[in-house]
Amino acid sequence: MKEFTISTPARYVMNTVLVLMFLFIGNHITQSGILLRSQYALLIQIGFFIILAVSLNLVTGYLGQLPLGHAGFMAVGAYAGALFWRAHLLPPTLSIIVGLIVAGVVAAIFGVLIGVPALRLRGDYLAIITLGFGEIIRVMLTNLDSITYGARGLLNIPRYSSFLIVYACVVITCTVIHMLMKSRHGRAILSIRENEIAAESCGIKTTYYKVLAFAVSAFFAGVAGALFAGNQGLLVPSDFDFMTSINILMIVVLGGLGSMFGSVVAAAVLTFLPFMLQPLADYRMIIYSLMLIIVMIFKPSGLLGSYEFSLSRIIEKVVNKALSLRGGAAKGGR
Amino acid sequence: MGRRDTKTPFVPERDAYKAPVMECVNLGIDFGGLTAVNDFCITIGPTEICGLIGPNGAGKTTIFNLLTKVYQPTRGSVYLNGVDTKNLNSEKANRAGLARTFQNIRLFKNMTVMENVLVGLHNKTEYGLGEAILRMPAYWRAEKIARARTLELLEIFDMQGIHGHKAGSLPYGSQRRLEIVRALATGPTVLLLDEPAAGMNPAETEELMENILKINKVFKIAIVLIEHDMKLVMGICEGIGVLNYGKLIAKGTPAEIQKNPLVIEAYLGKAEGEGDA
């Protein structure tokens, strides 16, 4: 019996259609005013955290390094994007796109600058270096008063971060990282996590791929930062403290290292949970922390381990199951 | 013993030595005050199978690490296809035509069998970053070729049926075989095998011997192997080097090695009454 498979072009078409439908429907719902302000804000916040978690997962889950300065890249992107938008150089629609790209590129440049020296170290040393970097960025932003207005905050940032813009960025982030990982470049990144010496002996340029993963990760963190700026309307350096980096890392670990789908789910759950627990007032953080501990004890590989969601795979499974049932006991379908 | 005679090949009658694929000249490395390898000289012809034997701790794997630039030699040099490998790191050494397997298997355990081989084919699969992300025609073409090539390579060990399995879930023998396939995928001119038969039963070893000969014939590459299984070494190697305490104490054909008193001494100790020299 021939197994049912969905051809590659069909998969692409199906996924594209579903994604466009999601964006379209989401956009309608948010504009129709059914959602409360707080619900809308939550939805947008989930969007940033998905981008941040998926981009951090590239370095933590796929490359197998542990940086603690993701908020630093987010900050660089946020200020770069905000300053660009505040200058009003271009008409709004164009300005949004160019601003996001500027934010990403500036963050990626910082990613390379930090990555080249930092990635010579590994494990806890890398963690400390990137942690230091994150703090340096924050302190610099506080003290560059003439540009960033320091602790007083950068005001009057155009509020560009609509549902459509944020979730379009989410889709682009996930797509680009997925496409990257399912190519020879992605396999090279994975091989470094699996066994660096063996990767080198296979002719993989390990330094190049480490820096590449770091730069791509920083790029999307920068984009998320700009979206954050465009949502808040104002920026203060203390938005990007060490705890922000830790929160993002927590999402990635809870979702499952190396699972993009896990990062997406965990970003939604961990942003939604404190909101849902609000009626419990002060006990909220206790329950939140307890939940984290329980998940880590019973499922140390994260909520989803290294599982990747694939709609076409599920459809194929269901159809094959149905076919084999109908095919009857003749072959006892595998 | 002739430690300095770099020009004397393992198998003198082979004209292949006019252009050796690999040549080591007085190779040596010190770890702190300890000399792990000293004055190591060999010459390897284009399609030769050579063995490197010696007691445990003699420095065999260290030599592989020197050749593949995991360690940088303290003294001496390695020429690969006539080019000095002085300034290369292991990744560049691989691209210059040197592939290896490891004594303690180093597979990409959480990746599938196919992905492992595809990593080996990395530099043979040519498309850029942008082409990959935008899924341009170049991506599809190169991926298709690479996947077909992977199945072809896996066929050597009859492993094409399990290309979707996680490498870490394979039995020990298959992991060793997969490592050889991955090394072959990088398109080497010299293949270094570090104890390829370790952990295999006699029947599997027999099969491995045939496969090594097949690889040698089909790919027309030189193979250097470290092995403790004398049946394998004596059975397929044309030239053998014996290492003891970091020094090459003998080299020659299997028959010569078997008769060499120094080799017998290294393995079995001195005969009684011979005294210290």
Side-chain angles (χ1 to χ4, degrees), chain A residues 65-97:
Chain A
Q65 308 289 335
L66 181 69
L68 289 178
H70 215 52
F73 297 125
M74 187 187 168
V76 171
Y79 275 89
L83 290 169
F84 181 84
W85 283 337
R86 267 166 53 105
H88 293 289
L89 297 169
L90 299 164
T93 324
L94 197 61
S95 178
I96 294 172
I97 296 168

Side-chain angles (χ1 to χ4, degrees), chain A residues 128-176:
Chain A
I128 300 296
I129 275 209
T130 48
L131 185 141
F133 155 74
E135 289 303 289
I136 289 170
I137 292 287
R138 194 173 54 81
V139 172
M140 265 178 63
L141 289 174
T142 315
N143 290 301
L144 278 174
D145 209 67
S146 53
I147 306 169
T148 65
Y149 299 93
R152 278 175 292 153
L154 188 65
L155 302 173
N156 300 327
I157 302 164
R159 301 257 191 152
Y160 286 143
S161 302
S162 65
F163 175 89
L164 192 63
I165 297 292
V166 171
Y167 279 85
C169 288
V170 169
V171 168
I172 291 170
T173 307
C174 293
T175 311
V176 168

Side-chain angles (χ1 to χ4, degrees), chain A residues 8 12 179-180 182-185 187-188 190-191 194-195 197-205 209 212, chain B residues 90-91 94-95 102 106 108-110 118 122-123 125 127-129 132-133 135 139-140 143 147 182:
Chain A
T8 317
Y12 277 73
M179 296 298 192
L180 172 68
K182 294 275 185 256
S183 73
R184 74 183 184 113
H185 307 287
R187 288 191 294 265
L190 280 178
S191 74
E194 293 292 312
N195 199 319
I197 292 177
E200 256 171 39
S201 85
C202 286
I204 305 285
K205 293 182 206 158
Y209 280 107
L212 174 77
Chain B
S90 25
E91 160 251 317
N94 175 270
R95 279 188 285 166
F102 297 87
R106 287 178 183 273
F108 309 128
K109 290 200 172 118
N110 294 311
L118 285 172
H122 182 83
N123 289 317
T125 319
Y127 54 82
L129 205 55
I133 289 168
R135 289 291 188 261
Y139 166 87
W140 297 111
E143 281 285 301
R147 273 159 211 276
R182 186 182 67 188

Side-chain angles (χ1 to χ4, degrees), chain A residues 18-33:
Chain A
L18 285 174
V19 163
L20 290 178
M21 260 167 63
F22 163 75
L23 288 179
F24 183 76
I25 295 172
N27 192 33
H28 260 265
I29 291 176
T30 49
Q31 282 185 345
S32 65

